[in-house]
Amino acid sequence: MLARLGLEPGEEEFYSEQLSSILEHIDRLQQLDTETIAPTAQVVEVSNPLREDVPRPGLTQEDALANAPAAVNGMFRVPSIQEET
Amino acid sequence: MIDLTELTIKDAARLLRLGSVSAADLVTAHVERIERLDRHVKAFLRFTPELWERQAEEADRKLRAGDAGPLTGIPMAVKDVLCVRGVETTAGSQILRGFKPPYTGTAVSRLFEAGALMLGVTNCDEFALGSSTENSGYFPTHNPWDVDRVPGGSSGGSAAAVAAGEAIFALGTDTGGSIRQPAALCGVVGMKPTYGRVSRYGLIAFASSLDQIGPFTRSVDDAALVLSVMAGNDPLDATSSERSGGEVLNNYGAGVKGMRLGVPREYYDVQGIEPGVKAAIDQAIKVLRDQGAEIVDVSLPHTDYGLAAYYIIAPAECSSNLARFDGVRYGMSEVDAPNITEAYMRTRRKGFGAEVRRRVMLGTYALSSGYYDAYYLKAQKVRTLIKRDFDQAFERCDAVISATSPTVAFPLGAKTQDPLSMYLCDVLTLGGNLAGLPGISVPCGMSEGLPVGLQVLGPQWGENLVLRVARAYEQASGVKAEVASFA
Amino acid sequence: MPDGWDVVIGMEVHVQPRTRTKMFCGCAVAPLNAAPNSYVCEICLGLPGTLPVINKAAVEACLKSALALSCEIPRHTKFDRKNYMYPDLPKGYQISQYDLPMSVNGHLELNGRKIRIRRVHLEEDTGKLVHAGDKLHKAWESFVDLNRAGVPLMEIVTEPDLRSADEARDYAMELRTLLRMIGVSEADMEKGQLRAEANVSVNREGSSELGVKTELKNINSFRALHRAILYEVDRQTKLIESGGAVEQETRGWSEAEQRTFSQRSKEFAEDYRYFPEPDLPPLEIDPDWVEDLRRTLPELPGARRTRLTSQHGLSAAQVAVIGGDRDLADLYEGAVAQGAPTQPTANWIVNEVAPTGKLLAPQHLAELMQMMGRDAISRDQAREVMPIQRPWPTTEAGRSRRCRH
């Protein structure tokens, strides 16, 4: 649901069957004791990559909307935004 | 008569400078070959005459003026995950059909500036998820050495294009082996740089902490040249290194005499390695030893956990990176659905293929609250252990060598029903991505009439060491990346 | 506040720091009323292949704000992805900070009480949605303008230390004063540069058990903040008194109807699947950098008020007016430095300058006060000859706000 993939009922089973063999393989990680190990989110060390606050040319409205499936009055059009219930 | 489609960059550049051929001649030769062969290979998704015509003219003008850069007039092919301004770029996915980026990524820009010209966009697994190019949202690519077999993946189109003589070099991306494995299966040179060496700006992300752009070429020298042009800091990529790109070339022609090369026993005896592949690697080790390298035994004890860690980290990042494909600003869209949630569902159901769904589901699961610690955090810790394995190995040697892929190219359809068997294709390459290492695959002979690749992995920022070993092997063995002999 | 009940309020305030460009790309921050999607680039549109790079000025603004709020600034901080799909969020995730924010554990002094600040962190803003039709649930379609997408935001979160609607409003106003004084933001609520959300719960007086909280959104002014909390406290206490139970949910404030309404209940709360942003290396905050920034801070309102009380002997009422505004405090201290007497000058500013908005130069005020002291002129005459140097407050936003107070 979170991923908004739009699966249909039969498919969910098909995928969960395939995923279960992968998850089974993945479960071997639980054999490792990693209590004292720090996680790696970034594998190489890079110094502080800050950007100066200087404007750089952007896109025109026309270019920004050039790939839009639906654009109206300079804006992207989307269907009604309803709360999920 | 020289066949202009079988040249290395070096040789082509020499002919161009001598004036014996023009950039236009090179383009014509490649276009003719593509017209003849690509219906069998299907390496290209689309062609870019609007670029090559202008670029070839410009190249010939510069050549006449004696103002040529290192790649002036050299035709290349670009994987469908690298954004080029005005050129339809779809990451091998239907969901991006028709998308024309308003900008060009850094790596391609640098190659354009160095004079390279673009023939077209090559096929790949959808969003680079796969090891056979069968997951393309368009069609599978075939191995030029045997068109009933896969070219490897995910950069299968680029590897096949170079192997089939359809481009002098090509760009790929490597997240778990997606350059090195298809290079091995297609008998060409393929290189993945250290994470951070080449800017990822313009690369449609699969797994941001693992992705790198690299070249497919017909020689190690060519790989070194293309890499040196693309490498170096980019202010648009915060993970790109400050190091100069030129350092990848440091002393790489020096030969292996006196170098220590590690053979990781877990890689040497990896499960499922084919005898013919092993024999080719044994032969390669012998060649390197004969050249004066010292061969040492090393161990990468957490190898068995690499695949599991990779198949958490990569899908997790992927699930997040692919959330932007929502049909609002670009690409396929079901904008007339009754509400936004339904529009998301319908767009993504139509636009994404099976493997993308599998990974997005897996990644979403691994990041969800309640599972984060057991999966994502655990995988990141195991990533630390895998990196440590390599750090310890590199205390004992300058580079490690192994097969690139446990098998030669397999028949189309052989693994599509069993995702885990497909994932195991990357077992020798994904450690390099988890640890951020530079790696190369060079052809090292044949098994059952199909190419075998030798993988060289070096410590972070040790591209020059990796290139040095690969070049020494290439020179001494006489095994060259050949254009596939086509019936 | 209702008899027999304790009110517990925590605030989350989003403030747009004054920067020229967006949080993670070089797009200029759009002026008000810019044409839609005209201040965007491939990065803030979330086009495939693009990457974020952190704006140094936004980091500095956040650090200065954190220092002004007496926060601790850890050496290591990082950005995380907050994942959810919504049409105003181009990448399908917001780059924010989760478990290692830029700063933690500060406080803001409010009427002599310390309101604890849990954290101040940086993130990026979303775009704007325009709905066709009057009410959200009847709209057939919506339109997306991404000019605002990627604009920097500081999120300032308190502990649940506020005890009334008055106090919550005063906190927000004091925060605005502080952020303006240190120059990091205009913090103008009408322009959306300061957005306040309040977490409100009630419990029986003296009970140690905390009530169930609701989160109030869509608040566009200090007055709305005050009224929304009053309304919500009333709603919650009546609900409990009539045997009901408060549901944990997000509630919007309707300015038109002067009431809160349910927007999203907790059972539909999204799992944001936070994880470290792989496109941004962790940020190392050099203590020398922090010290350099600290030295650029002016005297903070709290410190100035203390000084006005202890050194000048001003009353609480005088300090409330003069100490709450940099222009008035500068005028007061400037005049006194040039020989004006403390009490008459303070009274004059409170009674003649603040209500009329007629700001004059310190030396002129000092002369006037001295002449009045010698009985050379009367109060009425002084009022007439008071030479106005410039209107007060000095910003346009401040002037329009002042008219309504």
Side-chain angles (χ1 to χ4, degrees), chain B residues 440-453:
Chain B
I440 197 168
S441 179
V442 285
C444 71
M446 308 290 271
S447 166
E448 300 166 41
L450 294 163
V452 177

Side-chain angles (χ1 to χ4, degrees), chain B residues 194 390-391 394 397-400 436-438 457-463 465-466:
Chain B
T194 306
F390 279 105
D391 289 344
F394 289 127
C397 62
D398 301 303
V400 301
L437 311 177
L457 291 172
Q460 286 184 358
W461 317 115
E463 277 87 345
L465 297 174
V466 165

Side-chain angles (χ1 to χ4, degrees), chain B residues 355-385:
Chain B
E355 183 60 22
V356 172
R357 276 175 227 201
R358 257 193 296 272
R359 303 247 194 143
V360 169
M361 276 190 268
L362 194 57
T364 303
Y365 179 70
L367 288 175
S368 58
S369 70
Y371 297 97
Y372 184 89
D373 285 3
Y375 287 100
Y376 191 71
L377 189 65
K378 186 84 182 181
Q380 283 195 320
K381 290 177 166 192
V382 174
R383 189 174 186 181
T384 305
L385 294 174

Side-chain angles (χ1 to χ4, degrees), chain B residues 42-126:
Chain B
K42 298 179 92 63
F44 283 89
L45 280 172
R46 47 197 88 91
F47 299 96
T48 48
E50 71 283 5
L51 284 181
W52 81 51
E53 281 166 12
R54 186 171 51 73
Q55 288 169 333
E57 242 174 68
E58 172 77 17
D60 283 327
R61 192 169 331 125
K62 285 197 166 164
L63 285 159
R64 281 194 299 271
D67 185 22
L71 293 171
T72 299
I74 306 295
M76 69 167 169
V78 176
K79 186 181 181 181
D80 191 28
V81 296
L82 298 173
C83 290
V84 180
R85 187 186 167 91
V87 174
E88 185 180 352
T89 308
T90 65
S93 180
Q94 290 290 340
I95 208 163
L96 268 176
R97 190 163 215 157
F99 172 65
K100 291 184 176 174
Y103 75 104
T104 301
T106 304
V108 174
S109 284
R110 289 181 180 175
L111 292 170
F112 282 166
E113 279 158 32
L117 43 92
M118 178 165 169
L119 291 171
V121 176
T122 55
N123 196 19
C124 59
D125 288 300
E126 186 175 5

Side-chain angles (χ1 to χ4, degrees), chain B residues 27 87 187 288 314 424 445 485:
Chain B
V27 167
V87 174
L288 287 163
L424 282 163
S485 44

